[in-house]
Amino acid sequence: MIHQNLLQDGIQKGVDSVHILDGRTEHSILLEIFTNSGIGTMITH
């Protein structure tokens, strides 16, 4: 999967964390940022 490769590449190049969100969910980025539980998956190094 191309997205998985991009996520791994970002982490390997020093990005602190990457987030996987479902773009079909309305306001998904706001829900991820401003709620304690979030709605996506965060991957950290």
Side-chain angles (χ1 to χ4, degrees):
M1 292 176 89
I2 190 167
H3 294 112
Q4 183 179 9
N5 292 339
L6 292 172
L7 296 171
Q8 289 174 346
D9 190 46
I11 292 293
Q12 290 172 351
K13 290 185 177 180
V15 174
D16 291 332
S17 64
V18 293
H19 298 256
I20 302 171
L21 300 174
D22 183 352
R24 299 171 295 179
T25 303
E26 190 171 353
H27 308 297
S28 60
I29 194 159
L30 294 174
L31 292 169
E32 179 67 16
I33 294 171
F34 294 115
T35 61
N36 289 331
S37 60
I39 64 160
T41 301
M42 180 173 67
I43 301 171
T44 60
H45 184 147

